[in-house]
Amino acid sequence: MVKVSLMIRYIIALIVLIIIAFSYLMVPKITITLSLINISLNIPLPSNYVYVSVYVALAALVIFIASIPEYRRWRINNYVTGELPMFIRMIRDGISAGLTISETINLTFRQGGVLARELSSRIGSSVIGPGELGAALMGLARELNNKYLELASVVLDSALRSGTRAAEVLDLAYREIDNVIINELDKVNSLKPYIVLAYAITIMYVFLGSVILAILIPRLISTTSTIAGSLPTGLVSFGNLSVDATNSLFVYSIMMQALFTGMIIGKVVYRNLGVGLMHSSIMTITAVALNYLLNLYMPQIMHI
């Protein structure tokens, strides 16, 4: 299962790289000539930022679709982690009330919840012992990469095999795991406002970049050409630089900025890069669309 998941990720990454490569190879290009003393460089750059925007948005859409299963897995993981303390508490209460292990676990499953549903689908038996429950918890923990489930698997297996002290051990385990999970969820919730800040920074980056490209770059090109023309012949010169070419490069920079921002969000907030890449794709599509609209209406807005 892990190898299949890894192979799918490599295939998605390859598809995205192919789309980005096509965005450079297939769109019209303009050759920018840069001369410095005796060195001359001809740099082909995409000259139609609309085509580049479509390709970049398509690459982001592929990332978005590919990250949906990872997002669903994260949601299940989140629900399971939140329900784990109550699951242990219900087993403790059942053991304290004098129920057998099998009766307690079956009663817990009937209470519902994501964790109970996932475990019952793996056990599928009316008679359940510590071994079956521990194996099911450990299997789910490895599938979701959940360290709390791994800990609960070991604790429950040991506690349920301890005989008369089972309720006491489970009570201690419940309190400790509950405190750890509450602290972890509080930490995640305290970081979620930074997601909104990341989106705001991306939007501001696009807005300022569009303004600079629409107003300052044409004037900068004109001024730089004048300065280069006043220098000794052959010292420094460039030609064919256009706003469309700089806009195309700006679209690529939007994707890179959104990609790294989303990865940081995934690592810091969600502890999951897949969820972060979903945010990257959403930011990229939103930012590219905003950039297109700003380029379309910027002359009217700025009266240029």
Side-chain angles (χ1 to χ4, degrees), residues 17-37:
L17 288 175
I18 290 173
I19 292 173
I20 297 300
F22 264 66
S23 72
Y24 177 80
L25 297 173
M26 302 302 291
V27 303
K29 285 184 281 295
I30 185 172
T31 301
I32 308 299
T33 303
L34 174 63
S35 298
L36 180 62
I37 309 178

Side-chain angles (χ1 to χ4, degrees), residues 246-283:
T246 53
N247 268 325
S248 298
L249 294 178
F250 182 60
V251 171
Y252 287 126
S253 76
I254 288 174
M255 184 174 191
M256 295 303 297
Q257 192 263 355
L259 180 64
F260 286 112
T261 301
M263 290 174 68
I264 292 172
I265 289 174
K267 191 66 176 177
V268 174
V269 179
Y270 296 100
R271 310 293 195 272
N272 189 308
L273 285 178
V275 180
L277 288 175
M278 175 174 278
H279 281 285
S280 294
S281 60
I282 295 172
M283 277 191 282

Side-chain angles (χ1 to χ4, degrees), residues 2-16:
V2 176
K3 290 182 179 179
V4 173
S5 177
L6 192 61
M7 186 179 297
I8 291 174
R9 292 178 185 178
Y10 282 132
I11 292 172
I12 295 301
L14 180 62
I15 292 172
V16 171

Side-chain angles (χ1 to χ4, degrees), residues 173-188:
Y174 157 71
R175 295 179 186 279
E176 291 298 323
I177 292 178
D178 187 50
N179 287 334
V180 172
I181 289 177
I182 286 175
N183 290 335
E184 180 67 18
L185 293 178
D186 286 343
K187 187 186 301 182
V188 170

